[in-house]
Amino acid sequence: MYVRYVEQGTTFLSVLRQLAAADPERPALTYGDETLTRAEFVQRVEGLAALFASHGVTEGSTVTIGRPNSIGFVLSMFAAWAVGAVPNPISSRLPALERAAIVDLAEPALVVGVPPAESGSRPALEAVPAHLPAGEFTPGVSPDWKLMTRAGAPAGRS
């Protein structure tokens, strides 16, 4: 088991960059028959973080993620952390009414993995693009690990 301790205030993104620099071709994430190397993972996280920032996501804002378990889900979580946002993962199998209620309560800056019609007036990405060009964003430190929900209501930040 590999355990690495980091200093308080160290970002996920800085650790990912260090790991990618140390061994860029080492597998970082595998789901089904798709594997991303460390270098590919960092590149995709940074591209998605820039896309999130272009939709108004900033340090401390919430990003609701309704993607099924997938590489896109993991990328979305890390992209939110990269800009310093708080991920709010929700089940992709929720009924539209319950999903809309959570989105209303969480007040996210961006909703990912939910049809735009169900995100209200909030910016939405229905899917994580396969090709993410490099873009600009300001890395941040999330004030909370995640915002979880229970029975359709935010349970609190942790």
Side-chain angles (χ1 to χ4, degrees), residues 12-13 16 41 45 49 65 73-83 87:
F12 279 116
L13 186 57
L16 291 176
F41 185 70
V45 166
I65 303 167
F73 172 81
V74 175
L75 289 171
S76 296
M77 294 289 289
F78 275 89
W81 288 320
V83 296

Side-chain angles (χ1 to χ4, degrees), residues 2 6 45 68 77 145 149-150 156:
Y2 179 74
V6 296
V45 166
M77 294 289 289
W145 174 246
T149 58
R150 69 177 194 290

Side-chain angles (χ1 to χ4, degrees), residues 6 20 23 25-27 38 64 67 71-72 113 115 119 122 131 144:
V6 296
D23 193 354
E25 296 306 311
R26 186 171 181 172
R38 288 178 174 181
T64 298
R67 304 250 330 134
I71 285 180
S119 65
R122 291 172 175 78
H131 301 286
D144 297 293

Side-chain angles (χ1 to χ4, degrees), residues 2-16:
Y2 179 74
V3 177
R4 178 180 178 175
Y5 297 95
V6 296
E7 294 179 26
Q8 185 173 354
T10 301
T11 66
F12 279 116
L13 186 57
S14 65
V15 172
L16 291 176

Side-chain angles (χ1 to χ4, degrees), residues 23-84:
D23 193 354
E25 296 306 311
R26 186 171 181 172
L29 179 63
T30 298
Y31 183 81
D33 60 356
E34 184 179 5
T35 296
L36 297 180
T37 66
R38 288 178 174 181
E40 291 168 333
F41 185 70
V42 169
Q43 180 182 27
R44 301 262 317 261
V45 166
E46 289 177 342
L48 192 55
L51 183 59
F52 283 10
S54 76
H55 282 85
V57 177
T58 60
E59 189 172 86
S61 59
T62 300
V63 176
T64 298
I65 303 167
R67 304 250 330 134
N69 290 341
S70 62
I71 285 180
F73 172 81
V74 175
L75 289 171
S76 296
M77 294 289 289
F78 275 89
W81 288 320
V83 296

